[in-house]
Amino acid sequence: MKLASSLTALLLLTLLSACTVKPQVNWDYDPQVNWSSLKTWAWLEPKGKFKERMIHGFMSQRIHRAVEQDLVLKGLKEVAAKDADMLLSWGFTEKRRLQETRYNAGFSWYPYPWMMSSWPTETIIDTYQEGYLTLNMINPKTKNLVWQGVARHRITGSMSPGEKKEHINSSIIDILSEFPPHSENK
């Protein structure tokens, strides 16, 4: 009885951990930047044709809130763009990916090992969407990129608004976990 309840608890823990898959995150930055001198930030306002195509939907609102909350916790203050030490922008892209899964039906053993035969292998190809959320930090004077974080995650279309909010919040926290970077200047 004890073994059955232990196995049930282990199975439940495995299922719960599978539901909380973290995104894969990458960072890159300019090591010449004095990160300790950056105290303020602002959102980069798009111009021209980009401003016309910009959609301020729920995703944008969720990303802005998550970034603002994380940067406040890091001691950075949001100011007007003209007064900012760095400008922030973000982007989101989706890519269709293929996943190959192979199933081996097994082996047949005859009375002698050299008579082994392999049953056919079945290959299943599945497509899925992968999303890339990119956060960019730009030097307002030079307009050069100084820091970039990218979170990559498999996308499902059946998320509730609460799940979408939680997914974006955790992605932003993971992206900003290495910001500001430790300066390599000596």
Side-chain angles (χ1 to χ4, degrees):
M1 182 69 169
K2 223 177 192 184
L3 179 62
S5 64
S6 296
L7 288 174
T8 304
L10 181 62
L11 179 62
L12 182 60
L13 182 62
T14 303
L15 288 173
L16 288 175
S17 66
C19 295
T20 58
V21 175
K22 293 180 104 19
Q24 293 179 340
V25 180
N26 295 310
W27 305 271
D28 199 1
Y29 62 93
D30 181 350
Q32 301 304 314
V33 173
N34 180 1
W35 297 102
S36 62
S37 70
L38 303 179
K39 305 289 182 201
T40 60
W41 66 277
W43 288 108
L44 177 66
E45 287 296 322
K47 295 184 169 95
K49 65 180 180 180
F50 295 108
K51 188 170 187 166
E52 294 168 11
R53 294 189 309 183
M54 189 163 178
I55 299 171
H56 293 287
F58 291 119
M59 183 174 187
S60 177
Q61 292 171 23
R62 290 177 183 126
I63 290 170
H64 280 235
R65 281 189 206 119
V67 168
E68 291 162 3
Q69 290 171 356
D70 195 272
L71 292 180
V72 164
L73 292 174
K74 293 179 184 303
L76 298 168
K77 183 178 178 186
E78 184 175 10
V79 296
K82 65 180 179 57
D83 301 323
D85 296 330
M86 63 186 152
L87 300 174
L88 274 66
S89 70
W90 65 273
F92 182 79
T93 57
E94 291 182 26
K95 293 183 180 178
R96 173 178 248 146
R97 296 287 187 207
L98 297 176
Q99 179 177 345
E100 179 181 306
T101 307
R102 293 178 186 236
Y103 297 97
N104 193 337
F107 291 95
S108 288
W109 287 92
Y110 293 99
Y112 304 103
W114 59 87
M115 296 179 70
M116 181 181 79
S117 71
S118 175
W119 290 30
T121 300
E122 181 178 355
T123 302
I124 298 174
I125 305 291
D126 189 22
T127 61
Y128 64 93
Q129 291 295 105
E130 196 169 62
Y132 294 80
L133 177 59
T134 304
L135 186 60
N136 299 306
M137 301 203 182
I138 300 153
N139 180 323
K141 293 178 179 94
T142 65
K143 304 296 186 216
N144 289 331
L145 185 65
V146 294
W147 185 92
Q148 184 177 63
V150 180
R152 179 176 61 142
H153 204 287
R154 193 171 187 154
I155 301 172
T156 66
S158 60
M159 296 172 82
S160 71
E163 290 170 326
K164 290 176 185 176
K165 177 184 174 189
E166 182 58 36
H167 179 73
I168 287 174
N169 286 348
S170 68
S171 293
I172 294 295
I173 287 169
D174 288 346
I175 290 173
L176 291 173
S177 68
E178 294 293 321
F179 182 82
H182 302 292
S183 182
E184 293 179 13
N185 294 339
K186 293 184 180 185

